[in-house]
Amino acid sequence: MSRSATFDKSIVLTGFMGSGKSSVAALLAEMTGSPFVDLDEVVVKEAGKTIHRIFKEDGEAAFRDWESLCLEKALTSKRTVVIATGGGAVISAYNREIMKNFGVVINLMVSLPQVLKRLQGAQDRPLFSDQNPEEGARRLMMQREPFYAEADIRIDTDGKSVEDVAAEIMSVLTELPE
Ligand code: S3P
């Protein structure tokens, strides 16, 4: 497979909770030989507490600060990486700018019914444990859609396996002009 200049940049996956960012990024990392970074995991490590605790004890704004800090660190490190961002990382204009500057931004699109199916019973997502998860998720998805739409590439994930999505991304990346 020919390698285009695209692979000189990091690969940044964005998308709503449950869109499969972490699984797809882990596979893409294997396929490209780049390190895999799960932004949520880095935040937990750096903050020394779970996302749930950060939200509960310090508030969402503190979580967003950790998220930006860790994203910047990962993207400006010497090596290119494949990074799965958290669903809300795109809210920040600064995050969107560094994602674009240091990476090829790929948005994994997912439908609301698919999100609800995939996140059923999820305990580890503070923004998904509302009284009415369907309404909450719909609202967040609508608010974030313009930000997700800024990605360089958008891939529909509904009804596709992790392998299908990763293969589709690889084929789009290798076809991008140098
Ligand atoms: C969030 C998504 C989560 C995590 C945090 C906030 C969001 O990541 O960063 O709970 O704002 O959508 P995933 O998209 O990996 O679930």
Side-chain angles (χ1 to χ4, degrees):
M1 195 178 278
S2 76
R3 288 174 68 87
S4 76
T6 301
F7 290 98
D8 296 338
K9 283 179 138 189
S10 286
I11 296 174
V12 183
L13 297 192
T14 66
F16 201 71
M17 290 174 268
S19 57
K21 299 175 297 275
S22 298
S23 314
V24 172
L27 184 54
L28 280 175
E30 233 179 274
M31 292 163 101
T32 58
S34 303
F36 163 55
V37 177
D38 186 304
L39 189 56
D40 284 344
E41 277 177 15
V42 180
V43 168
V44 168
K45 204 164 145 213
E46 294 281 321
K49 48 176 132 175
T50 62
I51 293 176
H52 227 103
R53 273 189 59 202
I54 303 174
F55 268 76
K56 202 165 151 219
E57 295 170 11
D58 313 317
E60 181 172 348
F63 172 76
R64 298 297 170 202
D65 285 347
W66 278 113
E67 194 173 44
S68 291
L69 190 80
C70 296
L71 177 69
E72 182 172 23
K73 218 163 145 185
L75 287 176
T76 55
S77 78
K78 283 201 190 83
R79 292 202 63 181
T80 58
V81 295
V82 181
I83 181 163
T85 61
V90 292
I91 297 169
S92 148
Y94 178 70
N95 288 355
R96 297 199 302 279
E97 190 184 324
I98 55 173
M99 286 181 203
K100 283 257 178 173
N101 286 346
F102 292 94
V104 180
V105 184
I106 302 172
N107 173 240
L108 302 190
M109 293 187 290
V110 63
S111 67
L112 181 63
Q114 191 73 31
V115 167
L116 297 172
K117 205 164 129 192
R118 289 193 189 157
L119 297 188
Q120 218 168 31
Q123 299 293 322
D124 55 343
R125 287 171 169 98
L127 293 181
F128 198 73
S129 48
D130 286 348
Q131 301 257 315
N132 184 345
E134 180 166 353
E135 208 28 61
R138 189 197 312 276
R139 201 188 58 244
L140 277 183
M141 281 177 103
M142 271 174 55
Q143 280 170 2
R144 294 174 179 178
E145 170 55 24
F147 305 139
Y148 291 138
E150 287 183 21
D152 300 305
I153 299 164
R154 302 193 83 185
I155 305 275
D156 199 348
T157 65
D158 270 21
K160 293 178 192 163
S161 67
V162 169
E163 289 76 15
D164 287 344
V165 175
E168 203 174 319
I169 292 173
M170 286 300 278
S171 103
V172 177
L173 286 179
T174 47
E175 281 160 19
L176 281 183
E178 303 266 321

